[in-house]
Amino acid sequence: TEALEDGVVSEPEDVRQYAQLIRLETHRLAGMIDDLFEMSQINAGTLMLDVGPVAVDDVVRSAVDAVRPSAEQKGVRVEVDGRPSGTLAVGAAPELMRVLRNLLGNAVRHTPATGAVTVSVGSDAAEVWLRVEDSCGGISEHDLANVFEMGYRGTDARESGSAPQGAGMGLAIARGLLDAQSGSIDVHNHDTGCRFEIRLPAA
């Protein structure tokens, strides 16, 4: 903005690029402010969600569709393991969608080209679970113990977003949103990467 104001940048193409950068940074900052507000509600225990039966297959399909373009651009496959049709959980659909999109976005960003990200769904009489597995190579044991902490970014931050620098809130918010739905989230390493598992009460 100072360069534009001082007339240092005047060529139309340069002005366009600067305007685009301002727009992207403004969008990123607005998202961070929204995250901070939501995190304050979670910490204060004032977050109110519309909890009820959720069709898990609809949430999975929408979340996968949302990240597929960026995955295809990077050369990463996004797969759904099995047929989750008819699986019902007790939760809040918009917030569950947000958590799953965050996990998928992180997984795609950290999986190398030609790798795969897999979503799987299962249930028993008491719980429904969703798993997101990637090919990131795994997370260090130290980071595994801290990835859900507010502001923690570790040596290789796993937050989704248009900018590479995150504020370390994505996974903390995911945990808070699931806590508010009587759900949980956990992470473990597996053979080729890591596995995030969401659990919610079965409807």
Side-chain angles (χ1 to χ4, degrees):
T1 59
E2 289 175 357
L4 292 170
E5 204 170 42
D6 296 341
V8 175
V9 176
S10 58
E11 293 295 325
E13 180 60 23
D14 292 337
V15 170
R16 187 191 69 79
Q17 290 180 358
Y18 273 59
Q20 183 182 45
L21 180 61
I22 291 169
R23 179 178 59 80
L24 290 173
E25 287 300 296
T26 302
H27 179 74
R28 183 173 72 90
L29 289 171
M32 291 173 67
I33 291 168
D34 289 343
D35 285 348
L36 282 169
F37 177 67
E38 189 162 40
M39 200 69 224
S40 70
Q41 289 183 302
I42 290 170
N43 288 336
T46 59
L47 184 66
M48 302 298 292
L49 303 183
D50 184 14
V51 176
V54 175
V56 175
D57 53 325
D58 290 344
V59 172
V60 169
R61 182 169 54 251
S62 297
V64 168
D65 287 346
V67 302
R68 199 180 295 280
S70 60
E72 290 178 347
Q73 185 177 25
K74 190 178 177 183
V76 173
R77 302 187 314 279
V78 180
E79 304 168 343
V80 178
D81 184 18
R83 297 181 177 275
S85 179
T87 303
L88 290 176
V90 177
E95 286 73 23
L96 180 58
M97 165 80 74
R98 179 177 177 186
V99 171
L100 190 56
R101 283 184 62 174
N102 179 274
L103 294 180
L104 286 171
N106 289 347
V108 167
R109 187 157 61 89
H110 289 270
T111 294
T114 73
V117 173
T118 304
V119 186
S120 56
V121 178
S123 64
D124 54 34
E127 288 186 314
V128 173
W129 49 261
L130 296 89
R131 292 175 182 152
V132 175
E133 297 184 354
D134 61 31
S135 308
C136 72
I139 302 175
S140 73
E141 290 301 320
H142 178 263
D143 286 347
L144 275 177
N146 296 282
V147 292
F148 298 110
E149 296 301 318
M150 176 68 172
Y152 190 81
R153 302 191 72 244
T155 55
D156 188 13
R158 299 186 55 81
E159 298 210 323
S160 61
S162 58
Q165 300 86 9
M169 290 186 288
L171 292 175
I173 289 174
R175 183 177 63 178
L177 291 176
L178 288 165
D179 285 346
Q181 303 173 60
S182 300
S184 64
I185 184 170
D186 202 359
V187 59
H188 301 281
N189 285 326
H190 66 92
D191 292 341
T192 60
C194 61
R195 175 190 299 117
F196 283 84
E197 182 172 293
I198 297 168
R199 285 186 173 269
L200 288 167

